[in-house]
């Protein structure tokens, strides 16, 4: 009887120990399940935070761009001294920037530089667009072309220093002038005669302007060169 009691007590203790172990396993399993649920939900939580952060950054970028546009528009109006014309010009520039390798800020800056050289308001966009096509085609700094073009405009005639600036930029202005005078006079004009005319201050700004317009009009060497460059750059980006 005593041995039976001892055996019965030992069995109850073993059963009790197993019950406690089972309870512990159940608790651990439940805790692990909760942790796994949390871990499984973390990617969604992170994606949500990333989306919110991306939205905030996008909003900040839009705000910054809008503010920059407003500053550029106001600055253009201050240079031109005509808010209505400045607004219309700014809208033209924004549309052009879509098909140009230059940014809106750049095109506005170029337009302001030309305005400082007293290029007439009605000619500002056309002159800027014309020089930008040549700049894109030659791969030269736009400011160099504006400086030379503006100096000819200010002096009303082509001088030796502007001729040199255009030549160094890659524009064969002497040859183009020879062709222009040949058409105007009905007889061949040599490059030597062109140099003589330049030294005599006999090459007016309007003739230089016409030559640049010929280069950038349909059939000209630099026709729609900004659009061509922009498409090329876009193609290279898409192939990366």
């Amino acid at each position: 009887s005593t041995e039976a009691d001892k055996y019965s007590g030992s069995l109850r203790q073993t059963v009790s120990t197993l019950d406690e172990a089972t309870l512990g396993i159940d608790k651990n399993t439940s805790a692990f399940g909760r942790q796994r649920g949390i871990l499984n939900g973390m990617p969604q939580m992170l994606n949500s935070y990333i989306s919110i952060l991306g939205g905030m950054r996008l909003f900040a970028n839009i705000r910054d761009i809008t503010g920059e546009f407003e500053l550029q528009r106001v600055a253009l109006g201050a240079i031109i001294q005509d808010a209505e014309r400045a607004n219309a010009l700014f809208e033209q520039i924004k549309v052009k920037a879509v098909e140009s390798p230059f940014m809106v800020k750049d095109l506005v800056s170029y337009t302001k530089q030309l305005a400082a050289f007293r290029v007439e308001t009605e000619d500002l966009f056309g002159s800027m667009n014309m020089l930008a096509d040549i700049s894109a085609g030659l791969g030269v700094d736009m400011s160099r072309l504006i400086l030379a073009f503006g100096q000819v405009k200010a002096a009303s005639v082509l001088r030796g220093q502007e001729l040199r600036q255009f030549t160094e930029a890659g524009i064969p202005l002497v040859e183009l002038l020879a062709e222009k005078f040949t058409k105007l006079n009905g007889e061949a004009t040599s490059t030597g005669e062109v140099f003589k005319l330049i030294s005599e201050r006999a090459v007016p700004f309007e003739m230089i302007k016409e030559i640049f317009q010929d280069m950038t009009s349909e059939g000209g060497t630099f026709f729609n060169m900004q659009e061509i460059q922009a498409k090329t750059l876009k193609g290279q980006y898409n192939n990366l």
Side-chain angles (χ1 to χ4, degrees):
S1 175
T2 302
E3 291 297 328
D5 290 341
K6 286 182 180 181
Y7 177 77
S8 176
S10 177
L11 181 62
R12 283 196 299 271
Q13 185 176 358
T14 301
V15 170
S16 177
T17 301
L18 288 174
D19 288 340
E20 289 178 0
T22 301
L23 181 61
I25 291 172
D26 290 341
K27 288 181 178 179
N28 289 335
T29 301
S30 178
F32 177 75
R34 288 195 300 273
Q35 290 174 355
R36 184 174 60 182
I38 293 172
L39 289 173
N40 288 338
M42 285 188 70
Q44 289 80 5
M45 292 171 63
L46 287 173
N47 286 335
S48 298
Y49 285 131
I50 290 171
S51 297
I52 293 171
L53 182 59
M56 291 173 64
R57 287 179 175 173
L58 177 62
F59 176 78
N61 287 338
I62 292 173
R63 181 192 59 200
D64 292 342
I65 291 171
T66 302
E68 180 64 32
F69 274 20
E70 181 63 17
L71 288 174
Q72 293 297 327
R73 186 188 64 77
V74 171
L76 191 60
I79 292 288
I80 296 176
Q81 295 293 306
D82 187 325
E84 185 174 347
R85 285 189 174 185
N87 290 338
L89 183 56
F90 188 70
E91 290 303 315
Q92 284 182 292
I93 291 172
K94 285 199 299 183
V95 172
K96 186 63 189 180
V98 175
E99 56 184 26
S100 172
F102 301 107
M103 299 177 65
V104 171
K105 183 178 179 180
D106 298 325
L107 296 180
V108 171
S109 177
Y110 301 149
T111 304
K112 290 190 294 183
Q113 291 176 45
L114 287 168
F117 280 111
R118 298 294 186 268
V119 173
E120 290 77 10
T121 302
E122 58 271 19
D123 292 334
L124 278 175
F125 181 78
S127 297
M128 181 276 296
N129 189 49
M130 173 179 70
L131 294 176
D133 277 333
I134 297 173
S135 174
L138 292 174
V140 299
D141 186 357
M142 176 75 164
S143 295
R144 289 176 60 187
L145 297 180
I146 292 175
L147 176 62
F149 187 85
Q151 288 174 336
V152 177
K153 166 65 176 173
S156 299
V157 295
L158 176 67
R159 300 171 299 182
Q161 65 186 51
E162 287 84 40
L163 174 63
R164 182 173 61 257
Q165 290 170 339
F166 284 131
T167 302
E168 290 174 351
I171 301 173
L173 195 54
V174 173
E175 289 77 7
L176 294 171
L177 282 168
E179 293 175 6
K180 193 74 170 176
F181 277 114
T182 296
K183 290 179 181 179
L184 288 174
N185 300 330
E187 58 183 33
T189 302
S190 67
T191 56
E193 290 172 318
V194 170
F195 280 114
K196 185 174 183 296
L197 290 168
I198 293 173
S199 66
E200 294 173 349
R201 305 292 180 89
V203 181
F205 166 73
E206 289 302 322
M207 181 174 287
I208 302 302
K209 181 180 175 182
E210 287 177 10
I211 288 176
F212 276 53
Q213 288 172 334
D214 291 341
M215 288 191 292
T216 54
S217 298
E218 188 171 359
T221 305
F222 302 106
F223 177 64
N224 273 351
M225 192 54 68
Q226 291 178 84
E227 184 176 350
I228 293 171
Q229 287 287 338
K231 287 181 179 179
T232 300
L233 291 172
K234 183 178 180 181
Q236 292 175 348
Y237 175 80
N238 290 335
N239 290 331
L240 292 178

